[in-house]
Amino acid sequence: MIYFGMPFAMWALLAPSFRKQLTAVFGYDTERAKAITRKAKSEYRRIIAGLPEFEKGDRFKMNLVNSAMVGAFVLSMPERPDVERLTIYYADAMMTKPVKWFCRMSGKSKFTEKDIAGMKATAALRAADRNPYSWNMDFYEYPDGSGYEGRFTKCGICVLMKDLELYDLTPALCRLDYTMSEAGGVTDFVRQYTLASGGPYCDCGYKRKL
C-alpha cells in the first residue's frame, strides 16, 4: 500500500491524538510520549508498506489503516497494554472532533436508499476473496424495519493483528463500533459475536434509535 494518500492523511489527522492519549491513559510523560510516537511512525510506515492496495469499491481501507496505526503504537510502547486499557486508549485517540463530525454526517444518511444500496454492493463485492486484509460480509435487513445487520465472515483487522502478533488485543479495536455508532446519534449498535472472540462471525447490527 502506498503511504502517500490515505495512510499519510490519517497519520496527520490522528497521530497528535494518539500521542496525547499516551499520557492521559497510560501515564507516559510528554517526552516519552513523543519518543513512542516517533517510533510508531516508523512502525506504521513499515506496516503500510507491507499491505496490498484495496480495490476501488472497497469501503474498508480506512478501517485497516487505522488498525495499522494503533498496532504501530502498541508495538512502540515500552510495556504491552492489556485489552481493557487499550480499549479506552483507542476509543479516546480515535474520537477527535473531525471523526465525531464524520460520524454525525454518516448518521444523517443512515438507512437511506443510498446507504442500503452501498451495503448491498459491499456484500456483493466480497473483497476478502482477493485481499486477505479486507472484509467479506452478508447483509440482512431486519424484518420489522428497525434497521439492518452486516454479518462479517472475514475480517482484515483480525488478519493484520495476527501478522503483528497482537491478536489477543483485537477486541479492543472491535469495541470502537459501539463508540462510533453512539457518536452518529441515530443508531443503537447491537452485537452477539466477534471473530476475534472466537465467534462464528462478527455481527454489526444497527437499529434505529426510538
Side-chain angles (χ1 to χ4, degrees):
M1 185 183 293
I2 298 173
Y3 176 71
F4 292 100
M6 182 188 290
F8 175 84
M10 296 310 295
W11 179 268
L13 175 67
L14 295 173
S17 180
F18 274 73
R19 183 183 67 241
K20 178 181 178 181
Q21 295 304 323
L22 288 170
T23 299
V25 177
F26 295 113
Y28 294 115
D29 62 33
T30 301
E31 290 306 311
R32 178 58 66 89
K34 289 180 178 178
I36 292 170
T37 303
R38 286 193 295 270
K39 184 178 179 182
K41 185 174 184 179
S42 296
E43 285 284 351
Y44 176 67
R45 295 191 67 159
R46 178 187 65 81
I47 294 167
I48 292 296
L51 298 174
E53 286 295 344
F54 276 48
E55 297 175 50
K56 185 177 181 181
D58 191 338
R59 65 164 63 189
F60 294 113
K61 181 176 180 178
M62 187 181 295
N63 299 57
L64 195 71
V65 167
N66 292 339
S67 301
M69 189 178 302
V70 69
F73 271 90
V74 171
L75 292 173
S76 303
M77 294 180 191
E79 296 181 3
R80 183 188 180 97
D82 57 35
V83 171
E84 290 75 18
R85 293 182 78 191
L86 185 62
T87 299
I88 298 169
Y89 172 73
Y90 187 49
D92 289 353
M94 282 294 299
M95 299 310 290
T96 61
K97 288 183 179 179
V99 172
K100 290 178 180 178
W101 176 87
F102 172 80
C103 290
R104 290 194 300 271
M105 293 303 102
S106 298
K108 290 182 178 180
S109 64
K110 207 72 171 174
F111 309 121
T112 62
E113 289 185 8
K114 182 179 180 181
D115 175 48
I116 292 173
M119 294 293 291
K120 290 179 177 178
T122 297
L125 185 62
R126 299 191 64 80
D129 288 349
R130 298 168 298 282
N131 176 2
Y133 295 94
S134 189
W135 282 253
N136 278 358
M137 61 164 274
D138 297 309
F139 176 70
Y140 301 95
E141 293 187 74
Y142 296 136
D144 61 0
S146 62
Y148 60 66
E149 174 186 310
R151 186 174 295 179
F152 294 86
T153 53
K154 291 186 178 180
C155 168
I157 291 176
C158 290
V159 176
L160 177 62
M161 294 296 276
K162 285 179 181 177
D163 287 352
L164 301 179
E165 299 183 353
L166 300 174
Y167 188 63
D168 58 303
L169 299 178
T170 308
L173 281 65
C174 302
R175 187 63 180 75
L176 192 70
D177 290 328
Y178 291 89
T179 304
M180 295 189 75
S181 173
E182 182 178 348
V186 299
T187 60
D188 290 317
F189 186 81
V190 293
R191 168 177 282 157
Q192 186 174 5
Y193 302 111
T194 64
L195 292 168
S197 299
Y201 48 77
C202 297
D203 49 328
C204 295
Y206 297 90
K207 290 196 170 186
R208 303 173 191 268
K209 281 187 177 292
L210 298 178

